[in-house]
Amino acid sequence: MSRSIPLTCSGHTRPVVQLQFSVLQADSTFCLISSCKDGNPMLRDWTGDWIGTFLGHKGAVWSSKLSHDTTLAVTASADFTAKVWDTYNGTCIHTLPHQHIVRSAAISPDGSHILTGGHERLLRLFDLSAPEQSTFLQTSDQDSSAHSSTIKSVLWQDAAMAVSGSEDGTLKWWDLRSKRSFQVYQLDSPLVYLEWSAGAHMMVAVAGNTVYFFNAKQPGQVIKQFNLKHKPSCASLHPIVMDKFVVGSADDTWVRIYDFNSGNELDCFKGHHGPVHAVEYSPDGEYFASGSEDGTIRLWQTNPGRAYGLWRAN
């Protein structure tokens, strides 16, 4: 059996805290965007080659997301702003001010709106045709807060629905027409990680030692959950066959592969020199990316030994 020899993507100078692949484009290519405490999110092509760096933030960037057509990116930062970028020329189109650290931001499917969340405990909805003002998603007319603690992640599901997750251990599903939450799921521990997975067919959450997989079409429905021996920090399900998932660890420097049916550990990948904060499978399932405290991104083949991208056949 061939061992996976990772490709190392350098360039960041501090811990890499989040990764996101674009959806598969019409020409079968895709992009990868990375968030880093150095404040300089980077865009790469499907091979891992550097395309450009978005310059302008004055604090750590906690979240970066691409629009469906990859023409826009949105970033969330510790400098109390979210920024919208033109991915073709790297210019900042909009700066969206906040009153505290912004931990997560997401772009609507049509690229017209931005949703943000962070230390304010507010969910702000921005219309990019009039970005100077925002509206709030809230649980009641008396309280504008969306959660009782820091919002760690916001996800845009479709034109009318979004999801948020907080350190208070709750996940909330929101109707964007009424600006109200209609479904709540209480995790057993504070939320660590929340992202779409498997081509947005599922949503994966990490809390405590547990990895949860939610049905993307049925708000609040857990399909599977696994309690792991090694404390997970992030996870991603294979998008094509959905038979295995990759997990980064908060306790060591390794990346592990688990069987989605049994939860058994299948493999362990060693290469990083610090805890792994982010993992995600590429949209074609050919490899996964991992981002670490060591400031590097590493790309690992799903089926080592064959030619793909910058990998040569053994």
Side-chain angles (χ1 to χ4, degrees):
M1 178 181 176
S2 299
R3 289 298 298 169
S4 181
I5 306 299
L7 300 177
T8 301
C9 303
S10 302
H12 285 301
T13 58
R14 295 197 63 200
V16 178
V17 293
Q18 193 242 356
L19 299 169
Q20 190 231 0
F21 282 104
S22 71
V23 299
L24 204 62
Q25 302 298 296
D27 60 358
S28 297
T29 64
F30 48 88
C31 296
L32 171 65
I33 193 168
S34 55
S35 305
C36 184
K37 289 185 179 180
D38 63 13
N40 298 320
M42 292 186 179
L43 185 66
R44 300 178 185 275
D45 70 12
W46 67 281
T47 67
D49 278 346
W50 178 83
I51 295 174
T53 302
F54 300 106
L55 300 174
H57 278 297
K58 295 179 174 61
V61 172
W62 291 103
S63 170
S64 303
K65 301 284 178 64
L66 292 164
S67 62
H68 280 205
D69 62 4
T70 73
T71 61
L72 296 176
V74 62
T75 52
S77 173
D79 65 10
F80 293 18
T81 71
K83 290 181 181 289
V84 182
W85 308 84
D86 183 320
T87 60
Y88 288 115
N89 57 31
T91 59
C92 179
I93 302 171
H94 302 292
T95 295
L96 310 176
H98 294 66
Q99 298 300 313
H100 213 314
I101 293 169
V102 190
R103 289 298 300 264
S104 186
I107 308 178
S108 63
D110 64 0
S112 65
H113 290 72
I114 301 293
L115 185 65
T116 66
H119 286 229
E120 291 179 312
R121 299 179 287 120
L122 303 173
L123 284 173
R124 292 178 181 265
L125 181 64
F126 295 86
D127 184 339
L128 293 185
S129 66
E132 61 279 357
Q133 293 186 348
S134 62
T135 57
F136 297 134
L137 277 58
Q138 54 198 73
T139 53
S140 70
D141 292 329
Q142 290 73 38
D143 185 4
S144 60
S145 297
H147 289 272
S148 62
S149 188
T150 297
I151 296 171
K152 295 290 292 289
S153 183
V154 294
L155 305 177
W156 209 297
Q157 181 156 346
D158 55 37
M161 192 187 308
V163 188
S164 62
S166 168
E167 287 181 348
D168 64 15
T170 62
L171 308 181
K172 293 186 178 182
W173 283 257
W174 300 85
D175 184 324
L176 296 174
R177 295 159 297 192
S178 67
K179 310 294 192 299
R180 291 289 192 267
S181 171
F182 65 90
Q183 180 75 37
V184 179
Y185 186 92
Q186 181 67 53
L187 300 167
D188 294 331
S189 303
L191 178 73
V192 174
Y193 180 88
L194 180 71
E195 293 291 345
W196 293 125
S197 195
H201 292 296
M202 291 194 199
M203 184 178 72
V204 58
V206 175
N209 276 59
T210 306
V211 178
Y212 301 80
F213 292 94
F214 289 84
N215 186 342
K217 303 298 183 183
Q218 295 292 328
Q221 182 187 69
V222 177
I223 294 176
K224 290 196 176 185
Q225 65 183 71
F226 301 97
N227 191 48
L228 306 181
K229 292 187 298 182
H230 305 279
K231 192 174 183 65
S233 58
C234 48
S236 180
L237 181 65
H238 192 282
I240 308 301
V241 292
M242 294 188 284
D243 62 343
K244 54 182 164 291
F245 61 101
V246 58
V247 174
S249 175
D251 291 338
D252 56 41
T253 63
W254 300 346
V255 181
R256 294 176 174 85
I257 305 294
Y258 293 88
D259 184 274
F260 185 65
N261 294 309
S262 66
N264 293 330
E265 184 178 323
L266 300 176
D267 212 340
C268 181
F269 296 90
K270 303 177 182 180
H272 281 297
H273 302 290
V276 177
H277 300 306
V279 291
E280 186 166 0
Y281 272 105
S282 63
D284 61 0
E286 290 289 342
Y287 69 91
F288 66 86
S290 57
S292 169
E293 184 77 15
D294 65 17
T296 67
I297 300 165
R298 296 178 190 260
L299 311 180
W300 311 79
Q301 270 188 293
T302 303
N303 299 299
R306 76 182 192 88
Y308 176 86
L310 298 179
W311 284 280
R312 296 181 179 179
N314 289 349

